[in-house]
Amino acid sequence: MQSFKSITIAFEIATLILILVVLFLLSNLLQNNLKEKIEEQLTATAGIIDHSIDFFINDRKAEFLELSKKDDLHAKSDILPMFSDLYFLDENFALTRLIKASDNSRIFVGYKIISGDLFDFISQYEGHEVRVSPMIRSPEIDSVGIYLVKQVGSQFLVARIDISLFKALLSRMEDALRSMIIIASKEGYIMTASNPNLPFVLVPSENQISSEYLEEYFITKIQSQIFKNDIILVTPYSNVNMPLKIVNVFTPILALIIILMFSIKIFFQNRWFVKPILELIQDLKRYNPQEENRNLGFKNLLNVKEIHSLYETFVDKTKEIELSFQNITQSKNKALEQIVESEKLSSLGSMVAGVTHEINTPIGVSVTSASFMEEQNKALKSSLEKNELTKAMLIKHLDNESESLRIILISLARVSELIMNFKKLAVEQTSGVESTFSINALLETVIKSLRYEYKKKNIEFKVISDREYFLKSNPGLFYQIFTNLIMNSIKHGFKDIDMGIISIEIKTNPDNDLIVDFTDTGSGIEEDIQEKIFEPFFTTKRNSGGSGLGLHIIYNLVVNQLDGSIKLDPNYKNGARFILNLHNVLIEKKSLKL
Amino acid sequence: MRKTIFSLLIVSMLFWTGGCAKDPPLKVAVMTVLESGSIIGSSEIDALRLYLKENEVKNIEIIPFNDGWDPERVPEVYKEIREADIDIIITSHTSTCAVVLKELTDLEKDDVLVFLTGSTTNLLTGIDDNNIRLIQDVEKEQRSIANKINEYRFKKLLIIRDVYNENYTEPALAFFKDHYKGNFDVINFSIKDMDIEKIEKEIEGADFDAVYTLVGGNQSISGTMAQLAYIKNPKSKIFFTPWNNAPTVIETSGEALSNVIISNHYAVLKDASVKEYIETFKTEFGYAPTYNSLHLYKTIDIIHQIQNSGIKSPKGIRDHIIKTKVFQTPFGEHVFDEFGDTEMELYFIPNPQNLF
């Protein structure tokens, strides 16, 4: 079971996380979208650069074409300012003539170009048009150059564009576009750049953070239409990414605001709802409808209509429940009293049945004897009338009559005794009056009264007592107790057993409490029900008509009425053993009459 | 609820600290020339990239720095390297640049380690400093070349020397003279301030049956000089230093290439591992590298070996090299002496058309 507090906090956090995830996803989406737009824009810009280079080269091409038509080229001024070198190569690619703008050139008349990038470019020349080379490595001090070539007659005319002018063009474009421009070889190496102070020495392959400048760059690469080098535009984010910056800055701020708002919400939610409800629960636990002054710790919350209504409803319902509980308890007690009375009457009824049965035998015997006497008298009278009566016959008749009378007297005495006993039992059991009595005698009386019940089972009784114990108490209670104990043993312990022993030991303890140790050699009580045997209506013989009240009544009588205790000995395995401990009932002990 | 949040926090912190606890990669600076798409610099950087890729090395980071092989730019570039918290430097620059760099690194002897792959100056030989040299010094180099040229018993040798890289060429010439037994003349020039016509005239006026271009730094000027010599004497043998094993030098030599005998630190034509490296490089990057790039490839291999044994500090690496001395590398055994210097064989390759 989850607590309200946990559920609300978990829900709020889950909602917060969901919102943050959505926020960052949207932010990423927006950033990617913006980046794409920027990259498109920069690609277009790179195209513009390519066009500018195109114009630059075309100017040189036009100039070169003019030069190629001249025969009298000799001076530097003929090639300046557009070109730094002009070579005349024969069909073996050896320089036959050379015009240099710089004195530091490494090329000389007679120099042969038979391998390398320049050789590859010139040797692949076809036709009669001016061809432009990519930016390639030049034999001049390991530098680079853009070359133009045209065949003039049997010679090749090769011009190298003044690279400083080209760099100046790139530099101007960088200023205008606020992006560095790199001309790279296909291997990714920088051939030349608009800015000697690049933030990296090798062209980064992807947008990457420069360890020096800690800035990200947009790297836009296109292949030049004029030469086959790559034109790479390196644009610092800071120049184009204002919208990106806004998104980058705004997103975490918004996230923080959302987190703050949720934190405040959770705080106040906890403070104004969860905490008071928890206090309400604690107060309700302590709620006692009997108290007039109730200490309420959540008075503020009672200003909330729903909470107040909840509280009032709780109070009303509690009272109703309490009232119902009282009624039920009263009804229960009444029903229990009736059942106990009914049990009493039932046991009395059993006793009556037992006594009736017992009386029936001696009365039957008496009637039989009286009938026999009547017949004998008739026979005697007949003999007398016939004058057949002899002395011997008379003596025999008198003997028979004496015997019959003796039997009748004994039987009637038995009946009288039974009735006396029953009367005593019935009176004492139902009178409810406290008196002094011998528990030993009472026990004997109960045993006799139940003879009919136990004789069928061949149950032997052993009453063990070293003294005669006189009690001052309600004898009826003891009749009930012993009757129920014995009947319980007979009905349950010896249900499937045809013979056994019931031992009842009466003794005292050092505190002068009366101890009754009741054992039987029946089937015993199963361990799993031992704890329940004194509960009302608990029985294992419900289907056989058991009420489940026998032991409960004993318990009730011993504990509530006699202020004693009764326990089942769980360790006794030879049947069932009950130990009764009764306080303040013993008044005298006497030696037993022999 | 609180327990769940607390547990999540603890787990997150463990991941975060676990991530932070990982060792950062060892940063290695490469000082080389990268201007204008220089094949020198690109060969060297790509050689290192190739090594890292072939060996799946994740714990070394290569950071290139462009000094243009200009001694005047060395201090500024060195400062950038140190500001980037890099302690290990591989250089391919000339001896002149190396001498300038040494003055700076001497000030932080145990905090910086420099691997020299292009500087032969004997000013750095036999010194207990923070330089480790992957190639022999100029004396051993020039002795080898002189001994080779001696075999031919030329009548007259013409030495064409670049005085701009004097920290290499001046001692080189001195040591060459000590071991060369024949007659020779010297023509000096400077690549920074070159008058090709003047040189042309000097060569035209010289008498020689062999030429030795005493030029370093993979300068294509060697090719130009070879052509000039060839025009004057088409039968003259032309000797290059091992610092001309670059495609641009070969390309600019023209027809003179057939007379060229180039010295090389590796048995290029015989050693399968060198050939394999060249071919793999060409396949990977689409162009042929300089042979100097093999020095850097070997250097990063040695650094990686030492790093794998748990040593990363400059002093630690240096001490390990001095102590261990012999390293097995992709191009065979490499032996250092007690000063971190090296002695290597020189091989001589005639008509190096197929070098790349």
Side-chain angles (χ1 to χ4, degrees):
Chain A
M1 198 174 5
Q2 302 289 334
S3 74
F4 176 59
K5 186 176 178 180
S6 303
I7 290 172
T8 50
I9 290 176
F11 178 75
E12 294 296 340
I13 290 174
T15 309
L16 172 65
I17 290 170
L18 187 64
I19 290 174
L20 288 174
V21 165
V22 168
L23 176 68
F24 281 109
L25 283 174
L26 283 174
S27 169
N28 268 345
L29 197 64
L30 186 59
Q31 282 187 52
N32 288 338
N33 215 316
L34 285 169
K35 274 186 187 175
E36 276 175 22
K37 292 270 182 285
I38 291 170
E39 280 164 4
E40 278 172 19
Q41 189 185 333
L42 291 175
T43 303
T45 304
I48 292 170
I49 294 170
D50 195 28
H51 282 302
S52 301
I53 295 173
D54 190 17
F55 285 130
F56 177 86
I57 300 293
N58 281 336
D59 275 349
R60 273 108 192 114
K61 271 173 84 173
E63 176 67 19
F64 180 69
L65 194 60
E66 289 306 311
L67 282 177
S68 68
K69 291 172 186 170
K70 292 180 181 173
D71 293 323
D72 55 346
L73 298 168
H74 295 287
K76 267 192 224 180
S77 56
D78 292 332
I79 63 171
L80 289 173
M82 290 198 175
F83 305 108
S84 51
D85 301 279
L86 190 68
Y87 311 147
F88 295 82
L89 300 172
D90 64 16
E91 61 273 12
N92 296 319
F93 305 104
L95 262 80
T96 57
R97 206 149 52 103
L98 161 71
I99 300 173
K100 299 184 293 189
S102 161
D103 292 330
N104 213 21
S105 174
R106 294 171 178 197
I107 308 297
F108 53 92
V109 173
Y111 184 93
K112 272 196 171 175
I113 301 168
I114 65 166
S115 61
D117 291 346
L118 184 56
F119 170 76
D120 291 339
F121 168 63
I122 300 169
S123 63
Q124 284 164 22
Y125 177 84
E126 281 177 353
H128 298 281
E129 300 297 318
V130 174
R131 302 282 182 207
V132 181
S133 78
M135 184 166 282
I136 55 176
R137 290 195 177 90
S138 163
E140 298 283 1
I141 319 176
D142 194 37
S143 66
V144 296
I146 304 170
Y147 291 86
L148 304 168
V149 66
K150 188 181 184 309
Q151 189 154 14
V152 178
S154 59
Q155 290 198 329
F156 293 99
L157 186 65
V158 179
R160 184 162 73 107
I161 291 174
D162 189 332
I163 205 70
S164 61
L165 294 178
F166 184 77
K167 282 186 180 178
L169 169 67
L170 294 181
S171 183
R172 286 196 301 275
M173 286 198 283
E174 180 189 345
D175 290 340
L177 300 169
R178 298 195 304 153
S179 298
M180 289 170 273
I181 304 164
I182 296 171
I183 307 297
S185 68
K186 60 180 184 298
E187 292 89 16
Y189 291 95
I190 300 167
M191 303 300 280
T192 193
S194 59
N195 191 329
N197 298 318
L198 292 174
F200 36 74
V201 294
L202 299 168
V203 175
S205 55
E206 297 288 339
N207 288 5
Q208 58 185 217
I209 297 173
S210 158
S211 58
E212 286 182 51
Y213 290 83
L214 296 175
E215 198 178 35
E216 285 188 330
Y217 296 89
F218 278 106
I219 309 295
T220 311
K221 186 159 78 172
I222 64 168
Q223 192 175 51
S224 170
Q225 300 302 310
I226 295 295
F227 38 67
K228 299 308 171 195
N229 296 102
D230 291 332
I231 297 175
I232 298 168
L233 203 59
V234 180
T235 312
Y237 268 21
S238 56
N239 290 353
V240 293
N241 73 334
M242 186 51 73
L244 269 177
K245 232 183 202 175
I246 291 170
V247 171
N248 278 340
V249 169
F250 182 67
T251 304
I253 290 174
L254 184 60
L256 277 172
I257 291 171
I258 291 171
I259 291 169
L260 191 63
M261 280 170 60
F262 268 83
S263 303
I264 292 169
K265 187 181 174 208
I266 290 171
F267 173 75
F268 281 107
Q269 196 166 281
N270 187 52
R271 183 155 181 221
W272 289 107
F273 293 103
V274 176
K275 198 172 167 198
I277 289 175
L278 293 175
E279 284 175 11
L280 172 67
I281 292 168
Q282 291 305 316
D283 269 350
L284 291 176
K285 280 181 184 171
R286 290 193 295 268
Y287 175 72
N288 184 351
Q290 310 303 322
E291 288 177 8
E292 290 185 2
N293 299 313
R294 293 193 286 275
N295 187 15
L296 300 176
F298 52 94
K299 286 185 181 149
N300 286 339
L301 204 60
L302 284 181
N303 291 331
V304 177
K305 194 170 84 176
E306 289 80 2
I307 302 292
H308 187 268
S309 173
L310 173 71
Y311 175 70
E312 289 298 322
T313 306
F314 170 79
V315 168
D316 292 342
K317 288 296 173 191
T318 305
K319 282 184 182 165
E320 280 177 28
I321 290 167
E322 198 185 1
L323 199 61
S324 299
F325 181 72
Q326 282 171 1
N327 291 340
I328 289 168
T329 305
Q330 281 171 8
S331 301
K332 179 192 152 196
N333 289 340
K334 222 182 240 180
L336 203 56
E337 278 173 18
Q338 285 173 355
I339 289 169
V340 167
E341 265 316 298
S342 161
E343 281 289 315
K344 228 190 250 182
L345 292 171
S346 168
S347 75
L348 209 59
S350 297
M351 204 186 299
V352 166
V355 166
T356 307
H357 188 267
E358 291 297 307
I359 290 174
N360 204 37
T361 304
I363 290 179
V365 165
S366 300
V367 166
T368 304
S369 296
S371 296
F372 177 71
M373 277 174 66
E374 193 186 15
E375 281 179 24
Q376 288 292 309
N377 284 342
K378 276 183 185 169
L380 186 71
K381 190 179 174 184
S382 175
S383 294
L384 187 62
E385 284 172 351
K386 287 177 185 174
N387 290 323
E388 290 172 2
L389 183 64
T390 64
K391 184 181 176 182
M393 284 170 71
L394 183 63
I395 292 170
K396 189 178 173 190
H397 174 81
L398 288 170
D399 285 340
N400 287 341
E401 278 210 3
S402 291
E403 182 61 23
S404 296
L405 281 169
R406 191 183 67 82
I407 290 169
I408 289 167
L409 279 170
I410 290 170
S411 297
L412 288 175
R414 172 95 180 112
V415 168
S416 174
E417 187 193 349
L418 282 170
I419 290 169
M420 287 286 287
N421 277 343
F422 168 70
K423 184 182 165 187
K424 189 176 173 194
L425 263 174
V427 166
E428 287 184 341
Q429 193 164 343
T430 55
S431 70
V433 173
E434 196 172 276
S435 62
T436 303
F437 61 94
S438 162
I439 190 163
N440 303 59
L442 185 143
L443 183 57
E444 200 177 323
T445 308
V446 170
I447 291 171
K448 282 183 186 171
S449 72
L450 296 174
R451 186 167 169 271
Y452 171 70
E453 297 289 348
Y454 63 75
K455 76 174 182 182
K456 291 180 278 191
K457 288 280 184 180
N458 287 316
I459 293 170
E460 185 189 333
F461 274 87
K462 285 186 183 170
V463 179
I464 306 160
S465 180
D466 59 348
R467 304 277 172 98
E468 188 168 7
Y469 295 94
F470 288 88
L471 312 183
K472 188 171 182 188
S473 185
N474 182 348
L477 300 178
F478 284 84
Y479 283 124
Q480 187 85 42
I481 288 166
F482 286 126
T483 302
N484 279 14
L485 278 172
I486 293 167
M487 289 307 295
N488 194 65
S489 288
I490 293 169
K491 282 184 186 169
H492 297 289
F494 295 108
K495 181 175 183 288
D496 297 316
I497 298 171
D498 291 330
M499 62 190 292
I501 301 170
I502 292 176
S503 300
I504 305 169
E505 185 181 358
I506 302 173
K507 58 189 176 184
T508 55
N509 67 8
D511 293 330
N512 229 25
D513 295 332
L514 185 75
I515 308 295
V516 177
D517 192 337
F518 183 99
T519 59
D520 68 37
T521 58
S523 58
I525 298 173
E526 287 160 12
E527 213 172 299
D528 57 343
I529 61 169
Q530 284 180 6
E531 280 185 6
K532 298 181 188 176
I533 55 173
F534 293 118
E535 288 177 14
F537 305 108
F538 178 81
T539 179
T540 57
K541 300 287 180 289
R542 185 83 59 201
N543 293 336
S544 320
S547 66
L549 286 173
L551 286 176
H552 172 70
I553 289 170
I554 296 172
Y555 182 87
N556 205 31
L557 293 173
V558 169
V559 172
N560 295 331
Q561 300 216 32
L562 293 174
D563 195 29
S565 66
I566 177 169
K567 285 178 186 151
L568 174 71
D569 182 358
N571 299 319
Y572 186 76
K573 303 297 179 194
N574 297 331
R577 181 184 180 200
F578 293 92
I579 302 169
L580 284 73
N581 187 322
L582 302 165
H583 317 298
N584 301 321
V585 293
L586 183 67
I587 54 169
E588 197 179 351
K589 303 177 207 179
K590 281 186 184 173
S591 302
L592 281 174
K593 292 177 191 169
L594 294 171
Chain B
M1 186 67 173
R2 280 184 194 163
K3 277 184 193 170
T4 308
I5 292 172
F6 184 69
S7 305
L8 280 172
L9 272 172
I10 295 293
V11 168
S12 307
M13 279 172 65
L14 281 171
F15 271 116
W16 181 75
T17 52
C20 287
K22 268 190 194 169
D23 279 342
L26 179 70
K27 289 187 190 176
V28 176
V30 181
M31 286 176 79
T32 184
V33 56
L34 290 165
E35 288 160 341
S36 304
S38 167
I39 198 169
I40 298 166
S42 62
S43 292
E44 290 161 9
I45 303 301
D46 282 341
L48 296 169
R49 281 177 170 175
L50 183 63
Y51 179 87
L52 297 184
K53 183 181 174 182
E54 283 177 332
N55 294 281
E56 294 178 346
V57 177
K58 305 278 184 223
N59 53 359
I60 292 178
E61 187 185 346
I62 303 298
I63 303 159
F65 289 84
N66 182 18
D67 63 1
W69 283 7
D70 183 348
E72 288 176 18
R73 286 167 64 176
V74 166
E76 179 196 334
V77 173
Y78 178 72
K79 188 180 167 205
E80 282 176 29
I81 291 172
R82 297 303 284 143
E83 281 173 356
D85 285 329
I86 302 174
D87 307 323
I88 311 293
I89 305 171
I90 303 175
T91 74
S92 66
H93 53 208
T94 60
S95 295
T96 310
C97 295
V99 169
V100 171
L101 183 61
K102 179 173 161 51
E103 285 173 17
L104 299 166
T105 59
D106 274 351
L107 299 172
E108 337 181 57
K109 192 180 169 193
D110 289 340
D111 298 331
V112 172
L113 185 63
V114 180
F115 288 86
L116 306 167
T117 67
S119 162
T120 58
T121 176
N122 59 332
L123 294 175
L124 304 178
T125 306
I127 300 174
D128 181 21
D129 58 10
N130 51 3
N131 284 317
I132 299 291
R133 191 144 60 179
L134 276 291
I135 35 85
Q136 70 266 51
D137 74 355
V138 62
E139 182 184 353
K140 299 181 184 79
E141 176 195 278
Q142 293 303 312
R143 183 179 62 212
S144 294
I145 296 172
N147 287 340
K148 183 66 183 176
I149 298 176
N150 279 338
E151 288 175 13
Y152 288 84
R153 296 179 189 278
F154 294 113
K155 285 183 196 164
K156 194 75 167 293
L157 176 70
L158 178 64
I159 301 171
I160 306 174
R161 181 173 78 114
D162 167 28
V163 298
Y164 181 73
N165 188 7
E166 62 179 353
N167 279 321
Y168 166 60
T169 61
E170 192 169 321
L173 182 61
F175 288 118
F176 182 82
K177 283 181 191 175
D178 286 346
H179 297 283
Y180 183 62
K181 293 175 182 154
N183 296 321
F184 62 90
D185 281 330
V186 180
I187 292 175
N188 293 319
F189 73 97
S190 168
I191 56 165
K192 271 290 180 186
D193 184 21
M194 210 169 70
D195 184 345
I196 196 67
E197 283 163 3
K198 178 173 178 278
I199 297 167
E200 199 179 352
K201 279 183 184 151
E202 285 186 67
I203 293 173
E204 183 62 32
D207 179 29
F208 58 88
D209 55 352
V211 170
Y212 173 32
T213 60
L214 190 50
V215 175
N218 290 306
Q219 300 289 347
S220 58
I221 192 62
S222 292
T224 302
M225 297 304 162
Q227 288 210 41
L228 285 169
Y230 182 78
I231 290 170
K232 166 68 180 177
N233 183 353
K235 290 183 184 173
S236 61
K237 288 289 181 201
I238 304 164
F239 291 85
F240 283 171
T241 67
W243 306 106
N244 287 280
N245 281 280
T248 46
V249 177
I250 305 305
E251 285 163 10
T252 52
S253 297
E255 285 176 337
L257 194 65
S258 55
N259 290 9
V260 167
I261 297 171
I262 191 166
S263 49
N264 197 304
H265 292 105
Y266 301 94
V268 167
L269 299 175
K270 292 179 191 173
D271 191 335
S273 62
V274 174
K275 276 189 193 174
E276 195 182 313
Y277 164 81
I278 298 294
E279 290 309 313
T280 306
F281 191 106
K282 280 157 73 174
T283 305
E284 182 74 19
F285 300 108
Y287 68 97
T290 63
Y291 275 80
N292 284 9
S293 64
L294 276 86
H295 304 323
L296 280 89
Y297 190 93
K298 197 194 319 185
T299 304
I300 202 68
D301 178 66
I302 292 171
I303 292 172
H304 187 222
Q305 287 182 40
I306 298 171
Q307 188 195 32
N308 280 349
S309 58
I311 301 167
K312 281 190 262 187
S313 69
K315 185 176 185 308
I317 294 172
R318 183 195 175 276
D319 290 346
H320 185 84
I321 290 172
I322 301 300
K323 186 180 164 194
T324 308
K325 291 193 172 56
V326 179
F327 289 86
Q328 296 304 323
T329 77
F331 307 119
E333 192 177 87
H334 191 101
V335 181
F336 294 100
D337 67 13
E338 66 270 29
F339 299 106
D341 291 323
T342 290
E343 182 149 356
M344 288 174 80
E345 288 288 334
L346 271 186
Y347 301 88
F348 296 91
I349 300 150
N351 192 7
Q353 308 188 61
N354 299 320
L355 204 59
F356 299 98

